[in-house]
Amino acid sequence: MATKIRLQRGGRKSYAFYSIVIADARAPRDGRFTEKIGSYNPNTNPATVDLNFDRALYWVEVGAQPTDTVRNILSREGVYLMKHLRGGVKKGAFDEATAQKKFDAWKADKQKGLDKVAAEVAKAKKDAEAKALAEEKKVNEAIAKKVADKKAAAVAEAEVEAPAEAAAEEAPAEA
């Protein structure tokens, strides 16, 4: 039986959510499966992957063929690196402890890169908010200036009309 590691679609319309499953190659996409080994949510930023690492590694080692998307997910999670390192252990290139140390170093480096990207995204968001606030303050100052000019013009107009009215009222009194 040819087995595949594939995505099984779930979720609602326009909001896909996938399960990572082991299935017979002949089974339909959302049909019967052998085992569920994880989930993949592309709607979050970055995409959320919840994977049973040991089971995924087992299925890759016994020859299950992943689809292109699942291969990328497994590669990002380090399943293929661990498979490669275990192959080196079997050949006697290094021992299990060295393989685990290399994998842990790779995982730490990857996490450091992800943290750096997250920090850059947070900084960009903060800068964008600060820029939007500065632009809003500029607009508010311009509006306040227009309102102040309009009030000043109304006061000046009232002062010009007041002496003219007073003079008009005084003229009939003189007659």
Side-chain angles (χ1 to χ4, degrees), residues 9-163:
R9 192 180 194 286
R12 65 177 189 267
K13 184 177 180 181
S14 300
Y15 194 84
F17 185 86
Y18 299 94
S19 295
I20 303 170
V21 298
I22 308 299
D24 184 7
R26 298 168 293 188
R29 179 191 71 177
D30 296 338
R32 198 174 70 174
F33 61 91
T34 307
E35 181 181 355
K36 179 181 174 186
I37 60 171
S39 62
Y40 169 62
N41 184 0
N43 302 308
T44 60
N45 187 15
T48 306
V49 176
D50 180 30
L51 184 68
N52 184 339
F53 187 86
D54 296 329
R55 293 305 294 166
L57 182 61
Y58 166 78
W59 282 105
V60 167
E61 285 181 338
V62 296
Q65 294 297 312
T67 60
D68 292 338
T69 305
V70 174
R71 184 180 302 114
N72 289 335
I73 291 170
L74 295 177
S75 180
R76 273 187 261 129
E77 293 296 313
V79 173
Y80 279 103
L81 176 63
M82 183 54 93
K83 179 185 177 201
H84 174 74
L85 292 172
R86 281 191 174 180
V89 170
K90 287 179 185 173
K91 291 179 182 177
F94 43 83
D95 61 345
E96 184 71 35
T98 307
Q100 190 62 42
K101 194 180 297 181
K102 286 183 179 184
F103 181 76
D104 292 340
W106 174 82
K107 197 74 164 174
D109 187 44
K110 183 174 176 69
Q111 188 61 42
K112 195 183 305 179
L114 291 174
D115 292 343
K116 183 179 176 185
V117 168
E120 288 174 0
V121 168
K123 184 178 184 286
K125 185 176 180 181
K126 189 175 180 180
D127 291 345
E129 288 175 356
K131 185 178 178 183
L133 183 64
E135 289 177 6
E136 188 176 342
K137 282 182 180 179
K138 238 192 242 182
V139 169
N140 287 345
E141 287 173 2
I143 291 171
K145 186 177 182 211
K146 283 183 184 179
V147 169
D149 291 345
K150 196 173 188 180
K151 283 184 179 179
V155 167
E157 189 175 303
E159 288 175 0
V160 169
E161 290 178 5

